[in-house]
Amino acid sequence: MKYAYYPGCSLHATAAEFDTSTKAVCSKLGVELQEIPDWNCCGASSAHNTSHFLASAIPGRNLILAEKLGLDVASPCAACYQRLKVADHQMKHDDQLRQKMTEITGHNYQGKSQVKNVVDVIVENFDLNKVTKSLNKLKVVCYYGCLMVRPGKLTGIDNPENPQTMDQILEKLGAEVIQWPYKAECCGGSLPIYDADVSIKLVWDILRVARDSGAQAIVTACPLCMSNLDMRQAAVEKKYGEKFNLPVLYFTELVGLALGVPPQGLGLTDKHFVEPMDCLRSQKVV
Amino acid sequence: MREVSVSHLQAKNDGYVRKIEEESGQKVSQCYQCGKCSGGCPMSFAMDYPPNQIMRMLQVGLLDEVLNSTTIWVCASCLTCSSRCPRGIDIAQVMDNLRILATKQGNTAKGKNALIFHDVFLNSVKNNGRLYELGLAMQVNLKTGNLLKDAELGLPMFLKGKLKLLPHKIKGTDEINKIFAAAKQMEAE
């Protein structure tokens, strides 16, 4: 299978290891990723907070570029994924928007390319015969957050209140996946960047519930969740006087290990703020 | 809360509330106050009015209170309310429209930092076509006056290869500029 790859801005910077591990996993599974040429930012929350038109027009340009390639879109970042899904829906149903985009880009959007989350791409193309390493009962909680889950009718998630996609595959790969109540709670998204005093409490809540559920690590598929849970974990520990030292891993990093990709090829050895290698070694996953 | 004449307020603000309903495509009038949105809202602890109260306030025309509330700015757009509403109201979409209206009307005191963030973010997209994360962080800090916010993260991010020092400019910035121009034109209409 071949997909139009939409990395989004984070995967070229703060979420570099998500990019590396996504490419490594897809390569192992024989999934070809062709980066959308000259893609632009999805506009994220700033566009939909500012203008109804910008919210769909900015990501809409990427959908038009993908449709020209004639490929379905694979989007790793949950925030980009949601914005692309909303834009696809709007461009199909809002005539004024579609007309404007045709005027601007010279391409009349048909909605032929399906937008897929990388988790779904991996699940759909997974081949258990390619697994070379067990995740060895590593205790994890899967954290889906908001953006790959809601709105459920657009994201296509299996169950918006209790999603299972990542849980099921990690279980098959040998992890001990713990069911917990904070799977689809919010980490604050971009709020901690400009309003940390208030919103960082959400991160604290998630870390506490994950630890109390018995998790050795949190698994995510969202760069915003990763930066809040991993990069801001030290700030939470300082503010609330509680030590967590709870590694946060991208879904693709764990799947990559199971497919025999070395940790260095997944970003596990040098990209995380909470060092994950000790935890992975203690469980003999690496 | 001050004493108000509901019938007077409704007459005065009915047009605005209808406009919010029209622009958001959401029937605020359908809310029957079950409170499910507020029960699930992760940010309600920091709000002056929980989401269900905002819906009720809109129904009775308390528009000034809504537009000057903390609520609309601390909403994280997580969509928990929208996905659970038994009346099918996309409450988070209404919050988007309320923020846009508050900004237009200059009710921005409580949304200062949020608006600086969105402004800097979109300017980066407008100029480069992509977000320049380092530039965003530095400009937001400068403009909000929190010069050292997240400063402790800068060096480790750089050492981990997670910071791009220079922005990447796409070739299609003319199309991006046209998108922004069209948005501006629509706003004016």
Side-chain angles (χ1 to χ4, degrees):
Chain A
M1 279 298 280
K2 189 175 175 182
Y3 293 87
Y5 184 54
Y6 179 71
C9 306
S10 297
L11 273 80
H12 279 199
T14 41
E17 71 274 35
F18 198 12
D19 189 49
T20 316
S21 55
T22 295
K23 285 175 176 164
V25 167
C26 285
S27 157
K28 283 274 179 193
L29 293 174
V31 172
E32 201 181 326
L33 299 174
Q34 182 182 348
E35 189 160 323
I36 298 175
D38 209 42
W39 57 268
N40 59 269
C41 169
C42 73
S45 49
S46 293
H48 74 73
N49 270 293
T50 305
S51 144
H52 193 55
F53 174 75
L54 287 181
S56 294
I58 296 179
R61 178 177 173 271
N62 299 308
L63 295 176
I64 286 171
L65 293 171
E67 188 168 88
K68 284 187 189 166
L69 293 179
L71 298 170
D72 285 346
V73 181
S75 165
C77 169
C80 299
Y81 173 68
Q82 192 219 41
R83 295 329 302 166
L84 292 174
K85 276 290 193 189
V86 171
D88 172 59
H89 178 83
Q90 290 298 114
M91 288 215 292
K92 282 174 183 161
H93 295 91
D94 180 341
D95 293 340
Q96 195 197 6
L97 169 72
R98 195 175 53 248
Q99 276 166 21
K100 269 272 172 241
M101 289 308 284
T102 309
E103 269 172 44
I104 292 169
T105 64
H107 177 91
N108 185 22
Y109 186 66
Q110 311 280 314
K112 285 182 191 156
S113 300
Q114 239 195 310
V115 181
K116 296 196 167 202
N117 189 289
V118 151
V119 172
D120 293 324
V121 169
I122 290 170
V123 169
E124 282 169 24
N125 291 283
F126 207 79
D127 181 356
L128 279 174
N129 295 320
K130 290 183 175 159
V131 175
T132 57
K133 181 142 194 61
S134 166
L135 295 181
N136 244 343
K137 299 208 177 304
L138 177 73
K139 292 191 184 104
V140 297
V141 286
C142 292
Y143 176 59
Y144 296 77
C146 309
L147 297 163
M148 64 184 281
V149 174
R150 295 181 286 269
K153 62 177 191 285
L154 292 187
T155 60
I157 195 85
D158 55 337
N159 178 350
E161 292 293 344
N162 186 13
Q164 293 291 336
T165 339
M166 293 196 284
D167 292 59
Q168 283 167 354
I169 190 151
L170 292 180
E171 208 151 63
K172 279 185 196 153
L173 299 180
E176 189 177 326
V177 181
I178 300 166
Q179 296 300 314
W180 68 312
Y182 267 55
K183 272 184 180 179
E185 285 293 316
C186 178
C187 71
S190 55
L191 242 64
I193 303 174
Y194 57 87
D195 220 348
D197 284 351
V198 177
S199 51
I200 206 159
K201 175 186 174 288
L202 305 191
V203 183
W204 181 46
D205 289 340
I206 294 162
L207 291 171
R208 271 188 304 143
V209 178
R211 179 201 54 200
D212 295 348
S213 302
Q216 292 171 288
I218 300 176
V219 181
T220 180
C222 174
L224 270 172
C225 299
M226 174 59 86
S227 65
N228 284 334
L229 294 173
D230 178 51
M231 199 174 75
R232 296 185 189 280
Q233 197 172 121
V236 169
E237 289 176 338
K238 197 173 160 197
K239 176 162 180 174
Y240 294 98
E242 203 172 350
K243 196 85 188 136
F244 288 101
N245 195 25
L246 192 57
V248 189
L249 305 166
Y250 280 113
F251 169 73
T252 41
E253 291 177 313
L254 273 186
V255 175
L257 287 177
L259 292 172
V261 184
Q264 296 83 349
L266 296 162
L268 280 163
T269 47
D270 61 343
K271 298 289 181 198
H272 292 257
F273 278 74
V274 181
E275 209 286 306
M277 290 300 286
D278 287 346
C279 160
L280 294 170
R281 272 190 213 107
S282 74
Q283 211 63 27
K284 298 194 170 52
V285 180
V286 294
Chain B
M1 193 181 281
R2 68 194 165 95
E3 209 169 284
V4 293
S5 155
V6 169
S7 54
H8 172 75
L9 270 177
Q10 263 178 329
K12 184 183 149 216
N13 289 330
D14 196 43
Y16 284 105
V17 176
R18 272 169 201 265
K19 199 158 185 272
I20 287 168
E21 288 201 325
E22 196 187 304
E23 283 177 359
S24 64
Q26 304 305 315
K27 290 223 177 326
V28 173
S29 52
Q30 290 283 306
C31 169
Y32 55 26
Q33 290 296 303
C34 70
K36 207 172 179 182
C37 51
S38 303
C41 176
M43 287 305 292
S44 61
F45 73 95
M47 292 173 169
D48 39 6
Y49 308 105
N52 72 302
Q53 284 186 19
I54 294 286
M55 294 295 114
R56 185 69 188 135
M57 288 157 78
L58 287 174
Q59 287 174 344
V60 300
L62 284 162
L63 190 68
D64 289 343
E65 280 80 355
V66 168
L67 295 182
N68 286 305
S69 69
T70 306
T71 300
I72 60 172
W73 300 107
V74 298
C75 159
S77 301
C78 74
L79 305 189
T80 305
C81 53
S82 304
S83 82
R84 290 182 183 168
C85 176
R87 301 295 275 165
I89 306 169
D90 185 346
I91 300 152
Q93 178 62 53
V94 176
M95 293 289 177
D96 262 355
N97 288 76
L98 289 170
R99 283 185 286 268
I100 292 168
L101 182 63
T103 310
K104 263 187 199 162
Q105 299 203 346
N107 302 63
T108 53
K110 289 177 181 160
K112 190 181 148 263
N113 287 355
L115 288 168
I116 288 172
F117 175 81
H118 298 318
D119 190 50
V120 173
F121 189 109
L122 290 179
N123 261 324
S124 174
V125 178
K126 199 174 166 184
N127 293 334
N128 305 307
R130 290 187 193 165
L131 176 66
Y132 170 40
E133 289 180 322
L134 178 61
L136 173 82
M138 293 198 304
Q139 278 198 59
V140 167
N141 283 7
L142 258 180
K143 292 187 175 181
T144 55
N146 300 320
L147 287 184
L148 294 176
K149 185 171 181 308
D150 294 337
E152 74 282 6
L153 299 175
L155 185 63
M157 281 178 84
F158 175 70
L159 294 174
K160 287 173 194 299
K162 291 189 148 203
L163 269 189
K164 268 196 165 176
L165 294 181
L166 293 170
H168 173 95
K169 200 179 176 91
I170 67 165
K171 290 179 199 135
T173 42
D174 54 326
E175 284 182 0
I176 302 290
N177 277 313
K178 283 178 190 164
I179 289 172
F180 276 92
K184 207 170 182 185
Q185 196 190 344
M186 281 175 188
E187 210 175 289
E189 279 163 9

